[in-house]
Amino acid sequence: MYTHGHHESVLRSHRWRTAENSAAHLLPRLKSGDTLLDIGCGPGTITGDLATLVTPGRVTALEITAPALDLARAEITRRGLGNVDFAVGDVHALDFPDDTFDVVHAHQVLQHVGDPVAALREMHRVTRPGGVIAVRDSDYAAFTWFPQMPELDEWLDLYQRVARGNGGEPDAGRRLLSWAHAAGLTDVTATSSTWCFATPEDRQWWGGMWADRILESDMARTAREKHGATEADLQRISEAWRTWAAEDDGWMSLLHGELICQV
């Protein structure tokens, strides 16, 4: 189950993502003419970048539901790209033949799925010999910020409980290498990278986004309904995000684990 949902406050974050700031570990491996599967493509900003880079190759954008896929379809149409196909599917059981793609990519997906090892096996199955699998996932327990605020500690604890209650693993970044080994992948390069928010503009964007998200997203609804969060709790966390964003010394770094798996 996707913890965040597709509220505007969530999409605000997803639409900021580019191949450069979210898939830099993959970019040196891409070639013109590659066929690429983008799993969990979201609103399609990374997908569009990847499609441009592999032209005249084709990209298949995959999402779990048709409404979610329509978000990517709109972005690809807006960019006027003609080399993107669209498919609804489940990463645990991909509806593609063996050895279909040169590149299989998933950004912030494995942390949300019920069986990430099975997902990686499926990604391996549809990747051609000589191709690559690229994944990147956050590690929430490794997020760090200044100044310290108890309400943001409360936010992190609540998010982790909600994500695990939905069957996911929010600290996926540190587990990616072990999941790849469990899936039978042997030629694996593990790295990490960060997003850092420290300028006034970045703080206002990131802090404001989470101030809204903690009140209005699917994560907020689940926190209320299943994890005992009250409206006062969520309002307090929301205000803390805005307070952090207004701090001249405010700084936040988000760690992501990455893999490149050579098939």
Side-chain angles (χ1 to χ4, degrees):
M1 178 179 177
Y2 184 50
T3 293
H4 299 288
H6 296 92
H7 184 267
E8 182 277 331
S9 59
V10 177
L11 296 178
R12 200 184 314 163
S13 167
H14 292 182
R15 289 185 172 122
W16 167 83
R17 297 173 182 174
T18 65
E20 184 177 359
N21 68 28
S22 299
H25 63 301
L26 170 61
L27 300 189
R29 306 294 187 114
L30 295 180
K31 304 183 301 297
S32 174
D34 278 344
T35 56
L36 186 149
L37 174 63
D38 190 22
I39 296 172
C41 60
T45 52
I46 298 174
T47 313
D49 290 350
L50 296 175
T52 299
L53 291 168
V54 302
T55 301
R58 298 198 67 82
V59 170
T60 300
L62 184 134
E63 262 294 352
I64 192 70
T65 68
L69 191 62
D70 285 343
L71 298 170
R73 199 187 307 272
E75 174 66 14
I76 298 306
T77 299
R78 186 188 70 79
R79 296 193 189 195
L81 297 172
N83 63 327
V84 180
D85 304 307
F86 301 92
V88 173
D90 181 354
V91 68
H92 297 98
L94 294 168
D95 191 20
F96 302 105
D98 295 357
D99 307 338
T100 299
F101 300 98
D102 298 305
V103 181
V104 175
H105 170 259
H107 185 260
Q108 312 296 355
V109 170
L110 295 183
Q111 64 186 282
H112 297 293
V113 304
D115 191 339
V117 174
L120 282 163
R121 289 195 186 108
E122 271 294 271
M123 294 167 74
H124 186 192
R125 181 185 65 78
V126 301
T127 306
R128 292 173 181 149
V132 297
I133 300 163
V135 298
R136 184 175 189 256
D137 272 274
S138 299
D139 194 302
Y140 276 75
F143 290 5
T144 188
W145 56 82
F146 183 86
Q148 294 304 121
M149 303 177 68
E151 296 87 354
L152 294 189
D153 293 333
E154 186 179 355
W155 161 78
L156 179 58
D157 174 71
L158 181 60
Y159 178 78
Q160 290 178 313
R161 287 190 285 119
V162 169
R164 291 191 174 110
N166 283 341
E169 176 45 70
D171 303 340
R174 68 188 65 190
R175 292 172 165 82
L176 293 180
L177 182 59
S178 68
W179 290 343
H181 287 161
L185 296 162
T186 56
D187 189 349
V188 181
T189 301
T191 57
S192 66
S193 61
T194 62
W195 292 334
C196 186
F197 304 104
T199 68
E201 296 78 16
D202 284 350
R203 285 195 304 271
Q204 287 297 325
W205 176 76
W206 184 255
M209 180 271 296
W210 266 108
D212 293 340
R213 203 156 156 176
I214 196 64
L215 297 176
E216 300 172 339
S217 69
D218 283 8
M219 179 256 175
R221 176 183 53 78
T222 305
R224 293 184 187 99
E225 294 176 357
K226 297 184 178 180
H227 296 274
T230 67
E231 194 63 33
D233 293 332
L234 300 184
Q235 288 286 351
R236 186 175 63 255
I237 295 170
S238 178
E239 286 305 312
W241 274 110
R242 297 195 189 281
T243 299
W244 171 81
E247 287 281 348
D248 288 342
D249 298 327
W251 177 92
M252 184 169 289
S253 182
L254 314 183
L255 180 70
H256 308 274
E258 303 165 339
L259 297 181
I260 291 290
C261 309
Q262 187 73 47
V263 176

